[in-house]
């Protein structure tokens, strides 16, 4: 693992830079500020780390392939650093200063290898909009030291020409698909195939991590639930035998009944009066 | 007594009979009374118990999970028994009708459908939804024909694909116009664990061949 000089993650537009912190919630942020949910994904092979947020150790011995969070972080700027387990903060192998966490977002911060194999941190804003009933969202992120890839499901390409550190996503029918990752435009399998269970109403985020050169490419998954929608309705009867409404002609019958009573009563009264 | 008078009395008798019959029909057709609505609503809004504390290897309360690919651990219901209304029905896993976006109630009216996208019997939060036909024009009465007769504290039993039987107790029976039913609440995946049975009811429109309302029965683990 090489030492990386301090990198600044620019927080442009919706792109957020990240951070994590257990006890940070009360730190110098106005109470009205919106919080964001922040997860951290470890995609650097063979390199467990300690994670520091604003100088405070937040994750101890965080292992490759693990996903931490989500943490609720108030909007603000955060300093993040990764060290080898137990090493001092000034020996950090990766640092991001003044990373911006916007309010009200859902963010994943991936520590991973760049296309040419250098450790870096990339913030991703997760799409947590609702999916339609019966659908699941699949998001694939290329965070591996590897060239452009295609992602296939059931042998058919679903995402093509994906490069580090980009993502591709789609809302598809929920269920299990056999997925693999191939070098772009080829049938050369780089990862998989793997059975991918896409649960309805969730976003399944799959990170390709590792290095093609070192032959340790693999997949790491993060799932965000609660994005489901209810079906449009429950149509469950066409017979009418259980109908509880009173049909029009029963009202008519009641009306005729009243009419007969009135007319009949009037006649009786008339006849009696006439006799008198 | 004149013929005229006799005719008038006969008309009055017929009128009284017509009124009585119409009144009886009206009484028999009363919509099912809603019971337990507040309790059903409270079940949906109850905050689920917090997740287990973070596993070893973390500092503070930051949860850490291995990023393994998700697997499906749902336990589908297979059989529903409701002795109070004489129902024993096969439960089929169903989803959403691709054309209408609506719940795909099994076409065979003696079977009922479990919403396979929602919680299964293993769930510790949320609403397990089973819907069935009240009736159909072609097949007659359905498994849930008498669902609106269910009352609080009636018991029902659901068998799961894991071989276990689970018992539930009815806490609410509600009737909603289909245009107003809060489906999000009944298809929720959070809140207290509960079983939701749905069918059609209310006035029937013979022209569109649709009922106006849905009958919803909510039950909790007994």
């Amino acid at each position: 693992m090489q030492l990386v000089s301090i990198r600044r993650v620019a927080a442009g537009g919706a792109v957020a830079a990240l951070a994590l912190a257990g006890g940070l919630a009360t730190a110098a942020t106005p109470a009205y500020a919106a919080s964001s949910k922040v997860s951290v994904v470890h995609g650097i092979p063979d390199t467990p780390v300690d994670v520091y947020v604003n100088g405070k150790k937040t994750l101890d011995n965080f292992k490759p392939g693990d996903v931490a969070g989500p943490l609720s972080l108030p909007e603000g700027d955060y300093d993040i650093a990764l060290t080898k387990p137990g090493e001092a903060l000034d020996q950090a192998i990766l640092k991001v200063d003044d990373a911006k966490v916007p309010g009200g977002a859902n963010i994943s911060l991936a520590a991973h290898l760049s296309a040419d194999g250098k450790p870096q941190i990339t913030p991703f804003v997760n799409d947590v909009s609702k999916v339609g009933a019966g659908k699941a969202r699949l998001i694939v992120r290329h965070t591996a030291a590897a060239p452009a890839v295609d992602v296939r499901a059931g042998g058919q390409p679903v995402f093509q020409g994906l490069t580090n550190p980009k993502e591709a996503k789609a809302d598809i029918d929920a269920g299990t698909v056999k997925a693999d990752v191939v070098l772009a435009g080829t049938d050369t399998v780089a990862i998989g195939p793997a059975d991918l269970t896409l649960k309805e109403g969730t976003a399944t985020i799959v990170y390709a991590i590792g290095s093609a050169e070192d032959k340790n490419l693999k997949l790491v998954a993060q799932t965000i639930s609660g994005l489901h929608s209810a079906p449009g309705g429950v149509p469950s009867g066409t017979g009418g035998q259980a109908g509880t409404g009173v049909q029009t002609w029963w009202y008519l019958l009641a009306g005729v009944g009243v009419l007969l009573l009135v007319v009949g009563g009037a006649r009786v009264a008339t006849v009696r009066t006439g006799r008198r | 007594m004149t013929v005229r008078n006799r005719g008038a009395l006969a008309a009055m008798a017929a009128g009284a009979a017509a009124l009585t019959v119409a009144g009886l029909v009206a009484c028999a057709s009363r919509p099912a009374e809603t019971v337990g609505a507040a309790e059903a609503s409270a079940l949906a809004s109850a905050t689920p118990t917090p997740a287990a504390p973070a596993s070893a290897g973390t500092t503070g309360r930051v949860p850490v999970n291995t990023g393994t690919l998700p697997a499906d651990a749902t336990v589908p219901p297979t059989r529903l028994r409701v002795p109070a209304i004489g129902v024993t029905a096969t439960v089929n896993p169903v989803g959403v009708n691709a054309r209408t976006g609506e719940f795909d109630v099994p076409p065979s009216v003696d079977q009922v459908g479990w919403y396979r996208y929602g919680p299964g019997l293993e769930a510790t939060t949320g609403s397990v939804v089973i819907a069935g036909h009240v009736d159909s024009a072609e097949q007659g009465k359905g498994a849930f024909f008498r669902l609106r007769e269910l009352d609080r504290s009636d018991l029902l039993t659901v068998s799961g694909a894991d071989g276990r039987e689970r018992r539930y107790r009815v806490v609410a029976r509600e009737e909603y116009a289909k245009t107003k039913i809060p489906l999000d609440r009944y298809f929720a995946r959070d809140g207290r664990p509960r079983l939701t049975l749905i069918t059609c009811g209310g006035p029937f429109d013979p022209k569109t061949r649709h009922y106006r309302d849905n009958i919803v029965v909510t039950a909790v683990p007994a």
Side-chain angles (χ1 to χ4, degrees):
Chain A
M1 172 122 251
Q2 58 209 110
L3 285 184
V4 176
S5 58
I6 293 175
R7 277 162 192 262
R8 285 210 161 227
V9 173
V15 179
L18 98 117
L20 40 147
L24 264 186
T26 54
T29 314
Y32 56 79
S35 291
S36 281
K37 286 191 170 167
V38 179
S39 299
V40 184
V41 179
H42 192 336
I44 303 173
D46 309 322
T47 315
V49 295
D50 290 348
V51 178
Y52 288 80
V53 176
N54 287 356
K56 180 177 183 293
K57 190 193 279 188
T58 302
L59 290 172
D60 191 26
N61 198 15
F62 185 40
K63 295 196 173 54
D66 281 0
V67 178
L71 298 161
S72 188
L73 287 189
E75 180 176 358
D77 293 348
Y78 294 90
D79 295 345
I80 301 144
L82 308 184
T83 67
K84 287 185 177 170
E87 287 195 355
L89 190 49
D90 57 8
Q91 303 283 306
I93 51 179
L94 192 55
K95 276 185 80 172
V96 177
D97 285 346
D98 296 331
K100 275 203 188 336
V101 171
N106 189 309
I107 297 164
S108 286
L109 188 73
H112 66 101
L113 298 178
S114 67
D116 53 4
K118 295 193 175 63
Q120 71 177 61
I121 289 176
T122 302
F124 292 96
V125 174
N126 302 319
D127 180 353
V128 291
S129 58
K130 297 278 183 196
V131 296
K135 301 288 182 185
R137 180 167 299 137
L138 174 61
I139 302 175
V140 179
R141 292 174 177 162
H142 188 329
T143 51
V149 297
D150 296 343
V151 178
R152 304 190 300 186
Q156 296 301 310
V158 284
F159 304 127
Q160 292 177 284
L162 189 59
T163 56
N164 186 325
K166 299 243 168 48
E167 70 170 22
K169 64 179 178 178
D171 289 2
I172 59 182
D173 287 342
T176 300
V177 294
K178 196 169 274 299
D180 61 6
V181 177
V182 297
L183 298 181
T186 75
D187 288 324
T188 309
V189 176
I191 310 177
D195 281 336
L196 202 52
T197 300
L198 302 173
K199 187 160 167 46
E200 196 260 358
T202 68
T204 301
I205 307 172
V206 180
Y207 299 83
I209 66 162
S211 158
E213 202 175 286
D214 298 341
K215 300 199 186 315
N216 58 3
L217 292 173
K218 61 175 256 188
L219 299 178
V220 170
Q222 175 191 3
T223 305
I224 299 175
S225 57
L227 312 184
H228 56 277
S229 306
V234 185
S236 45
T238 57
Q241 289 191 60
T244 54
V246 180
Q247 312 255 328
T248 319
W249 65 279
W250 289 112
Y251 286 111
L252 282 178
L253 182 61
V256 168
V258 169
L259 211 62
L260 283 173
L261 276 174
V262 169
V263 171
R267 277 290 171 88
V268 170
T270 316
V271 169
R272 284 200 178 140
T273 313
R275 237 187 238 159
R276 213 170 273 159
Chain B
M1 193 172 256
T2 66
V3 174
R4 230 177 146 196
N5 203 354
R6 209 175 292 154
L9 286 172
M12 286 177 72
L19 261 184
T20 308
V21 170
L24 283 175
V25 167
C27 285
S29 306
R30 257 180 336 187
E33 202 182 338
T34 286
V35 293
E39 191 164 346
S41 157
L43 287 169
S45 55
T47 32
T49 47
S55 54
T58 63
T59 309
R61 294 192 311 279
V62 184
V64 175
N65 300 301
T66 57
T68 46
L69 300 180
D72 191 357
T74 310
V75 176
T78 54
R79 196 157 199 79
L80 170 69
R81 282 192 296 123
V82 196
I85 55 171
V87 168
T88 302
T90 299
V91 183
N92 297 306
V94 299
V96 172
N97 184 296
R99 190 174 51 82
T100 63
E102 295 182 312
F103 193 107
D104 220 351
V105 181
S108 177
V109 301
D110 57 353
Q111 306 194 349
V112 295
W114 161 65
Y115 191 61
R116 62 187 170 91
Y117 297 136
L121 298 179
E122 83 297 339
T124 54
T125 63
S127 167
V128 178
V129 184
I130 295 177
H133 277 101
V134 63
D135 66 3
S136 103
E138 298 80 21
Q139 303 171 59
K141 293 180 181 177
F144 280 178
F145 188 78
R146 295 173 61 199
L147 194 69
R148 72 194 180 100
E149 297 173 24
L150 275 183
D151 210 340
R152 285 168 62 87
S153 77
D154 283 341
L155 294 174
L156 35 102
T157 306
V158 183
S159 312
D162 60 357
R164 271 187 57 198
E165 288 200 336
R166 293 162 176 88
R167 283 160 69 76
Y168 293 85
R169 177 174 49 83
V170 173
V171 296
R173 180 192 65 231
E174 299 162 280
E175 178 165 346
Y176 290 100
K178 285 177 179 173
T179 50
K180 300 218 176 79
I181 180 171
L183 288 171
D184 284 344
R185 185 209 289 175
Y186 297 113
F187 287 87
R189 298 177 194 181
D190 55 4
R192 309 277 301 183
R194 56 206 188 271
L195 175 67
T196 303
L197 307 179
I198 306 180
T199 193
C200 281
F204 183 76
D205 183 339
K207 289 198 198 73
T208 62
R209 304 218 65 80
H210 284 124
Y211 287 90
R212 185 193 68 190
D213 299 345
N214 277 128
I215 308 284
V216 184
V217 168
T218 302
V220 296

